[in-house]
Amino acid sequence: MGDPRLRTARPDDAPAVVALRAVVHPYLVRGVESTRRMIAQPPAGEDWTAFVAEVDGHLAGWASAYRNIRTSETGVGEVSLLHVHPEHRGRGIGTALLDASLDHLRSLGVRRVRAWALPDGLPFARRHGFTPSREVRYSALDLRPAPPAPATPP
């Protein structure tokens, strides 16, 4: 395996970003075109950017960072969806993505950073100075019609 290469995400990364997210966060659904648009036309006022890590020409990691403009607290930024393909973990890719994200946020004057982590990512977050504050849970609801009720016994 070659050395990881970090760079700013480009719209043509969208298919690989969606494929990576399907491996790491299968319950977070965002299509290729939506992802391409997000990279090409980020939300106004957030100074949003994203970084990818490549290994041997394949996408191995992703993180985005932006100014949180939806809070009354000033100077808040977020690192969103930092994730690394399981086959590439433990090689410093996550740390490099986090460092790039934090550098971006510092350049915006951000003083406080929020992020969320899966339970298996909490040790990584703690090692990098994050303090867990609350837990988020996802659930699903099957909207298909229920099967017919069984026949009533005579």
Side-chain angles (χ1 to χ4, degrees), residues 35-61:
T35 300
R36 187 183 324 275
R37 209 170 22 260
M38 177 182 65
I39 296 168
Q41 301 165 345
E46 291 185 349
D47 296 304
W48 183 95
T49 194
F51 302 96
V52 296
E54 291 179 316
V55 176
D56 298 329
H58 299 284
L59 201 78

Side-chain angles (χ1 to χ4, degrees), residues 25-110:
H25 299 297
Y27 47 85
L28 295 177
V29 179
R30 173 175 245 146
V32 172
E33 286 310 310
S34 173
T35 300
R36 187 183 324 275
R37 209 170 22 260
M38 177 182 65
I39 296 168
Q41 301 165 345
E46 291 185 349
D47 296 304
W48 183 95
T49 194
F51 302 96
V52 296
E54 291 179 316
V55 176
D56 298 329
H58 299 284
L59 201 78
W62 159 277
S64 63
Y66 60 94
R67 178 191 320 271
N68 184 331
I69 59 173
R70 292 173 183 82
T71 180
S72 59
E73 187 179 347
T74 59
V76 176
E78 301 212 13
V79 174
S80 181
L81 289 179
L82 187 156
H83 51 286
V84 175
H85 192 286
E87 293 176 5
H88 296 283
R89 292 181 182 163
R91 300 180 56 208
I93 294 172
T95 297
L97 289 165
L98 179 60
D99 288 347
S101 298
L102 295 177
D103 286 347
H104 172 69
L105 294 172
R106 279 187 201 96
S107 77
L108 302 176
V110 166

